């Protein structure tokens, strides 16, 4: 972990964390704290390893381990928030036998939170601040190949996007739930509502321009090595994988060989 020294314009090492073949990091702000998720993929012998979530301790200016997640060939972390009180983490995993993205929800062990977790007389210590809370796995999504993930509020809905290299393997999932999570039936909270007719998707990102939502995807196929796709608010196809309206244009000029598909 490096800290930037503005006076000398240099980076200084402030902490070293042990990893096991880490391949991805995700940092995020949640509930007034800074977090770091590390995806441990392969230690030289095994792919079944624990990935680790850390929380920043402002008193010591270091990351402190918060929770471990058993994974199998962990590849990529993603954090997102939907509304004021719904926080999610997703971890994509890939081995020669299985490709899966697991979804976790931040919740209290005894939902709703017990009154004993409130601190009326004094501020909680670092250890007490989130006592009784943890990330609970709520859903597993099988994918055909190794996946990239993106998530957030898209088209005013809580969305999870999972992309893979095979044709028609890029899917959009939507949170289907109302009110607080009060039961253990988590299997169908994120439902697939769209499938994009793309192949060799190697990366994706959401962004907003004004009031319009966009999805950008990079395609790594030999036929279109620099292709990029924009999908605006899912097009007009509605649920079930409609493609909506689209147009194409070259993004690399006559010699660039790329194309842009705008939905």
């Amino acid at each position: 972990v490096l800290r930037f020294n503005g006076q000398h314009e240099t980076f200084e090492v402030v902490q070293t964390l042990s990893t096991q073949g880490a391949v991805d990091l995700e940092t995020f702000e949640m509930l007034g704290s800074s977090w770091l998720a590390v995806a441990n993929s392969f230690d030289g012998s095994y792919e079944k390893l624990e990935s680790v979530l850390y929380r920043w301790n402002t008193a010591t200016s270091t990351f402190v381990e918060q929770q471990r997640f058993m994974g199998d060939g962990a590849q990529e972390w993603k954090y997102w928030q939907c509304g004021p009180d719904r926080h999610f983490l997703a971890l994509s995993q890939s081995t020669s036998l299985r490709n899966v993205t697991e979804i976790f929800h931040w919740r209290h062990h005894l939902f709703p939170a017990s009154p004993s977790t409130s601190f009326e007389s004094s501020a909680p210590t670092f250890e007490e601040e989130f006592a009784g809370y943890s990330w609970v796995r709520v859903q597993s999504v099988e994918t055909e190949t190794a996946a990239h993930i993106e998530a957030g509020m898209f088209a005013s809905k809580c969305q999870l996007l999972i992309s893979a290299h095979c044709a028609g393997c890029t899917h959009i999932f939507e949170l289907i739930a109302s009110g607080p999570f009060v039961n253990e039936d988590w299997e169908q909270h994120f439902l697939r509502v769209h499938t994009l007719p793309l192949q060799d998707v190697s990366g994706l990102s959401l962004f907003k321009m004004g009031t319009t939502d966009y999805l950008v995807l990079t395609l790594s196929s030999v036929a279109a090595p620099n292709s990029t796709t924009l999908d605006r608010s899912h097009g007009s196809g509605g649920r079930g994988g409609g493609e909506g309206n689209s147009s194409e244009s070259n993004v690399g000029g006559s010699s660039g060989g790329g194309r842009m598909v705008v939905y």
Side-chain angles (χ1 to χ4, degrees):
V1 182
L2 305 179
R3 177 179 56 207
F4 183 69
N5 185 323
Q7 182 178 358
H8 298 95
E9 296 188 348
T10 58
F11 285 95
E12 303 170 344
V13 177
V14 296
Q15 186 179 9
T16 300
L17 300 170
S18 298
T19 63
Q20 296 176 291
V23 296
D24 185 62
L25 304 172
E26 172 85 345
T27 59
F28 57 94
E29 298 290 322
M30 185 186 80
L31 301 174
S33 292
S34 299
W35 306 74
L36 168 66
V38 179
N40 290 320
S41 183
F42 182 62
D43 66 357
S45 300
Y46 302 100
E47 294 175 306
K48 196 172 186 64
L49 300 168
E50 290 181 315
S51 290
V52 186
L53 178 69
Y54 301 88
R55 182 161 64 97
W56 184 257
N57 187 331
T58 56
T60 61
S61 294
T62 57
F63 279 109
V64 177
E65 183 178 317
Q66 181 79 17
Q67 187 172 342
R68 288 178 172 259
F69 303 78
M70 181 56 69
D72 201 358
Q75 297 295 313
E76 183 179 350
W77 277 109
K78 183 64 182 180
Y79 163 82
W80 74 105
Q81 179 178 350
C82 293
D85 58 355
R86 287 176 176 164
H87 305 271
F88 296 96
L89 273 175
L91 177 62
S92 67
Q93 304 164 57
S94 177
T95 67
S96 59
L97 300 177
R98 187 185 187 212
N99 300 284
V100 64
T101 295
E102 294 187 324
I103 305 169
F104 302 86
H105 177 240
W106 176 256
R107 56 174 290 197
H108 196 271
H109 293 164
L110 300 173
F111 194 93
S114 168
S116 62
T117 63
S118 63
F119 302 89
E120 298 179 356
S121 58
S122 61
T125 65
F126 179 84
E127 292 75 15
E128 295 171 334
E129 189 172 5
F130 294 114
Y133 284 84
S134 68
W135 293 95
V136 179
R137 184 176 63 182
V138 297
Q139 190 172 349
S140 296
V141 179
E142 298 281 347
T143 57
E144 293 81 353
T145 62
H148 297 281
I149 49 181
E150 177 65 290
M153 293 300 295
F154 185 60
S156 301
K157 297 176 181 178
C158 185
Q159 310 275 13
L160 169 67
L161 297 86
I162 301 178
S163 70
H165 288 281
C166 50
C169 295
T170 296
H171 309 296
I172 300 176
F173 296 79
E174 181 180 320
L175 178 64
I176 307 296
S178 60
F181 294 110
V182 295
N183 58 61
E184 298 298 329
D185 183 17
W186 300 84
E187 290 304 314
Q188 296 298 318
H189 279 163
F190 279 91
L191 300 180
R192 190 171 73 183
V193 294
H194 291 273
T195 295
L196 300 180
L198 302 172
Q199 185 172 350
D200 295 323
V201 176
S202 57
L204 68 165
S205 181
L206 296 172
F207 74 96
K208 181 182 290 288
M209 188 178 296
T211 59
T212 303
D213 296 290
Y214 290 88
L215 166 62
V216 185
L217 305 99
T218 57
L219 310 181
S220 60
S221 64
V222 175
N226 301 308
S227 298
T228 301
T229 299
L230 300 180
D231 183 2
R232 183 175 62 185
S233 301
H234 304 343
S236 58
R239 294 178 181 269
E243 298 180 26
N245 299 321
S246 67
S247 61
E248 297 191 11
S249 61
N250 292 328
V251 296
S254 58
S255 61
R259 64 183 173 86
M260 179 180 294
V261 184
V262 182
Y263 285 80

